[in-house]
Amino acid sequence: MRERLFSLISKYNLKANSDLGQNFLVVPDIIERNVERAELNENDIVLEVGPGLGVLTDALSRHAGKVYAIEKDSRLVEILRAEYDWPNVEIIEGDALKVEFPAFNKIVSNLPYQISSPITFRFLRYDFERAVLIYQLEFARRMVAEPGDRNYSRLSLMVRAKAHAELVERIGRGAFWPKPKVDSAVIVLEPKPRDERIELNEDLVRALFQHRRSTVLAALKKSHHMLGLSKEDFKRVRGLLGAVPHAGKRVFQLSPLDVIDIELYLLENHLIRSSE
Ligand code: SAM
């Protein structure tokens, strides 16, 4: 696998494009472990974002019924189409943040780190069974952080509202070509059952986490403009904010259900409008 990768790199005289997060996996064991973690069988339809030179795609094609691989770099798309003859892989040329996703039930990807955040939020809007994803270590740690943790962030809260996330393996930078400047980690993501998923008001979450170390009351006061309240509206209603649930908690200690309590109070008192 490693030989195949380097022979393609030299055959096509490829330079990795760092703007597209091109760090190719060169350790077969990691690929095998991730394919195992995805628990694939012939009924599975897998979405892969960023197949690169196809090392992970190749393993996926041997274990899943169908693989859709979305690649933005047209040169890599050309190479994949010329070099492989997978019967069950469809390469989709385009930006994974924009192209329409086909139906799928699993995701396995070594993600381009530049789009970690928006692609994760996009994944979470879909129904799927399980995702096995490689991220930058710091990002992965934020994904699994718990309320009150040092690195608990908007991302941690939003992921927690929709899914179970587990950091299952740390990967050193030597596992990639070219070597990135930071370590990586594997996250296994499983959406919660529909009736346990919590829909959060994203504007409210943004407004709160703009001041993650402040108390809820202070954060709401400082971010009132982000909630659509003009200065005059805010002056008129600021008295009501004093009784907001969890007023004295720090923003980085809030669970998704705490945020729902806050949202309901703000809605009942006409301090925000419903996000629907
Ligand atoms: N899967 C390969 C591997 O593990 O060796 C490559 C992974 S590399 C970290 C990320 C890949 O995502 C690159 O092939 C890059 O061109 C592609 N990419 C970057 N931005 C993208 C986007 N917005 N949509 C789809 N693919 C993208």
Side-chain angles (χ1 to χ4, degrees), residues 10 17 84 92 115 117 131 168 187 192 196 199 203 208 221 241 243-244 264 269 271-272 274:
S10 92
N17 180 344
Y84 294 94
I92 300 171
I115 63 166
S117 189
V168 293
I187 291 276
K192 292 181 177 172
E196 286 175 31
E199 286 304 326
D203 293 338
L208 286 164
K221 283 183 177 171
L241 275 185
V244 75
L264 288 179
N269 289 284
L271 299 175
I272 54 168
S274 160

Short mmCIF file of all heavy atoms in Angstrom, two decimals, residues 10 17 84 92 115 117 131 168 187 192 196 199 203 208 221 241 243-244 264 269 271-272 274:
data_model
loop_
_atom_site.label_atom_id
_atom_site.label_comp_id
_atom_site.label_asym_id
_atom_site.label_seq_id
_atom_site.Cartn_x
_atom_site.Cartn_y
_atom_site.Cartn_z
N SER A 10 5.32 9.49 -7.41
CA SER A 10 6.43 9.77 -8.31
C SER A 10 5.98 9.70 -9.78
O SER A 10 6.39 10.53 -10.59
CB SER A 10 7.63 8.89 -7.98
OG SER A 10 7.60 7.75 -8.73
N ASN A 17 -0.94 19.44 -1.80
CA ASN A 17 -1.47 20.81 -1.70
C ASN A 17 -1.93 21.05 -0.26
O ASN A 17 -2.96 20.53 0.17
CB ASN A 17 -2.63 20.95 -2.70
CG ASN A 17 -3.24 22.34 -2.67
OD1 ASN A 17 -3.02 23.11 -1.74
ND2 ASN A 17 -4.01 22.66 -3.70
N TYR A 84 -7.52 3.15 -10.73
CA TYR A 84 -8.27 2.10 -10.05
C TYR A 84 -9.48 1.68 -10.88
O TYR A 84 -10.03 2.47 -11.64
CB TYR A 84 -8.78 2.58 -8.68
CG TYR A 84 -7.68 2.88 -7.68
CD1 TYR A 84 -7.18 4.16 -7.52
CD2 TYR A 84 -7.18 1.86 -6.86
CE1 TYR A 84 -6.20 4.44 -6.58
CE2 TYR A 84 -6.20 2.12 -5.91
CZ TYR A 84 -5.72 3.42 -5.78
OH TYR A 84 -4.75 3.69 -4.86
N ILE A 92 -16.96 11.29 -6.69
CA ILE A 92 -17.74 12.50 -6.96
C ILE A 92 -16.78 13.68 -6.89
O ILE A 92 -16.15 13.90 -5.84
CB ILE A 92 -18.87 12.69 -5.91
CG1 ILE A 92 -19.81 11.48 -5.94
CG2 ILE A 92 -19.62 14.00 -6.13
CD1 ILE A 92 -20.83 11.44 -4.81
N ILE A 115 -11.61 21.85 6.87
CA ILE A 115 -13.08 21.88 6.87
C ILE A 115 -13.65 21.05 8.03
O ILE A 115 -14.84 20.72 8.03
CB ILE A 115 -13.66 21.42 5.51
CG1 ILE A 115 -13.29 19.97 5.20
CG2 ILE A 115 -13.22 22.34 4.38
CD1 ILE A 115 -14.13 19.39 4.04
N SER A 117 -14.66 21.63 11.04
CA SER A 117 -15.83 22.10 11.75
C SER A 117 -17.10 22.09 10.87
O SER A 117 -18.09 21.43 11.21
CB SER A 117 -15.52 23.50 12.30
OG SER A 117 -16.50 23.89 13.13
N ALA A 131 -19.77 6.89 12.19
CA ALA A 131 -18.71 7.52 11.39
C ALA A 131 -17.38 7.28 12.08
O ALA A 131 -17.29 7.32 13.31
CB ALA A 131 -18.97 9.02 11.27
N VAL A 168 -10.76 7.30 19.98
CA VAL A 168 -10.34 5.90 20.17
C VAL A 168 -8.85 5.66 19.89
O VAL A 168 -8.32 4.62 20.27
CB VAL A 168 -11.19 4.93 19.30
CG1 VAL A 168 -12.63 4.90 19.77
CG2 VAL A 168 -11.12 5.30 17.83
N ILE A 187 -11.83 9.56 15.74
CA ILE A 187 -13.08 9.71 16.48
C ILE A 187 -14.12 8.76 15.91
O ILE A 187 -14.27 8.68 14.69
CB ILE A 187 -13.63 11.16 16.34
CG1 ILE A 187 -12.75 12.16 17.08
CG2 ILE A 187 -15.09 11.26 16.78
CD1 ILE A 187 -13.03 12.29 18.56
N LYS A 192 -27.22 9.94 18.15
CA LYS A 192 -28.15 9.41 19.14
C LYS A 192 -29.45 9.05 18.42
O LYS A 192 -29.73 9.59 17.33
CB LYS A 192 -28.44 10.49 20.19
CG LYS A 192 -27.23 10.81 21.04
CD LYS A 192 -27.57 11.87 22.07
CE LYS A 192 -26.37 12.13 22.96
NZ LYS A 192 -26.54 13.25 23.86
N GLU A 196 -33.74 11.25 21.09
CA GLU A 196 -32.83 11.75 22.14
C GLU A 196 -31.98 12.92 21.65
O GLU A 196 -31.23 13.52 22.40
CB GLU A 196 -31.87 10.62 22.57
CG GLU A 196 -32.53 9.57 23.43
CD GLU A 196 -31.59 8.43 23.72
OE1 GLU A 196 -30.35 8.64 23.81
OE2 GLU A 196 -32.09 7.29 23.85
N GLU A 199 -32.26 19.62 19.51
CA GLU A 199 -32.08 20.69 18.51
C GLU A 199 -31.77 21.99 19.25
O GLU A 199 -32.62 22.48 20.00
CB GLU A 199 -33.38 20.88 17.71
CG GLU A 199 -33.68 19.80 16.69
CD GLU A 199 -32.59 19.57 15.66
OE1 GLU A 199 -31.92 20.57 15.28
OE2 GLU A 199 -32.39 18.42 15.26
N ASP A 203 -28.05 30.32 16.98
CA ASP A 203 -27.72 31.73 17.25
C ASP A 203 -27.47 31.93 18.75
O ASP A 203 -26.55 32.64 19.15
CB ASP A 203 -28.86 32.66 16.82
CG ASP A 203 -29.01 32.66 15.31
OD1 ASP A 203 -28.03 32.31 14.62
OD2 ASP A 203 -30.10 32.99 14.83
N LEU A 208 -23.77 32.75 23.30
CA LEU A 208 -23.24 32.36 24.61
C LEU A 208 -21.73 32.09 24.53
O LEU A 208 -20.94 32.61 25.32
CB LEU A 208 -23.96 31.10 25.11
CG LEU A 208 -25.40 31.28 25.62
CD1 LEU A 208 -26.12 29.94 25.72
CD2 LEU A 208 -25.41 31.98 26.98
N LYS A 221 -25.74 39.36 28.30
CA LYS A 221 -25.72 40.83 28.25
C LYS A 221 -24.72 41.30 27.19
O LYS A 221 -25.02 42.16 26.38
CB LYS A 221 -25.33 41.39 29.62
CG LYS A 221 -26.48 41.34 30.61
CD LYS A 221 -26.09 41.96 31.92
CE LYS A 221 -27.28 41.98 32.88
NZ LYS A 221 -26.91 42.37 34.23
N LEU A 241 -33.62 39.39 32.28
CA LEU A 241 -32.49 38.47 32.10
C LEU A 241 -31.97 37.95 33.44
O LEU A 241 -31.45 36.84 33.51
CB LEU A 241 -31.35 39.18 31.38
CG LEU A 241 -31.40 39.22 29.86
CD1 LEU A 241 -30.12 39.84 29.31
CD2 LEU A 241 -31.55 37.81 29.29
N ALA A 243 -33.36 36.65 35.82
CA ALA A 243 -33.96 35.39 36.29
C ALA A 243 -33.74 34.23 35.31
O ALA A 243 -34.37 33.18 35.42
CB ALA A 243 -35.45 35.61 36.52
N VAL A 244 -32.86 34.43 34.33
CA VAL A 244 -32.64 33.37 33.33
C VAL A 244 -32.07 32.12 34.03
O VAL A 244 -31.26 32.24 34.96
CB VAL A 244 -31.69 33.89 32.20
CG1 VAL A 244 -30.24 33.96 32.67
CG2 VAL A 244 -31.80 33.06 30.95
N LEU A 264 -35.81 28.28 26.36
CA LEU A 264 -37.25 28.32 26.65
C LEU A 264 -37.61 29.58 27.44
O LEU A 264 -38.59 30.25 27.16
CB LEU A 264 -37.66 27.06 27.43
CG LEU A 264 -37.67 25.78 26.59
CD1 LEU A 264 -38.05 24.57 27.44
CD2 LEU A 264 -38.61 25.92 25.40
N ASN A 269 -40.31 34.75 27.37
CA ASN A 269 -40.30 36.18 27.71
C ASN A 269 -40.06 37.07 26.49
O ASN A 269 -39.74 38.25 26.63
CB ASN A 269 -39.25 36.44 28.80
CG ASN A 269 -39.70 35.87 30.13
OD1 ASN A 269 -40.57 36.44 30.79
ND2 ASN A 269 -39.17 34.72 30.49
N LEU A 271 -37.68 37.31 24.49
CA LEU A 271 -36.36 37.93 24.38
C LEU A 271 -35.64 37.44 23.12
O LEU A 271 -34.66 38.04 22.68
CB LEU A 271 -35.52 37.60 25.62
CG LEU A 271 -36.13 38.13 26.94
CD1 LEU A 271 -35.33 37.67 28.13
CD2 LEU A 271 -36.18 39.65 26.91
N ILE A 272 -36.10 36.32 22.60
CA ILE A 272 -35.61 35.84 21.29
C ILE A 272 -36.79 35.30 20.51
O ILE A 272 -37.84 35.01 21.10
CB ILE A 272 -34.53 34.72 21.39
CG1 ILE A 272 -35.05 33.54 22.24
CG2 ILE A 272 -33.23 35.23 21.93
CD1 ILE A 272 -34.17 32.31 22.14
N SER A 274 -38.23 32.20 17.94
CA SER A 274 -37.96 30.79 17.68
C SER A 274 -37.04 30.68 16.47
O SER A 274 -37.17 31.45 15.52
CB SER A 274 -39.28 30.08 17.44
OG SER A 274 -39.05 28.89 16.75
#
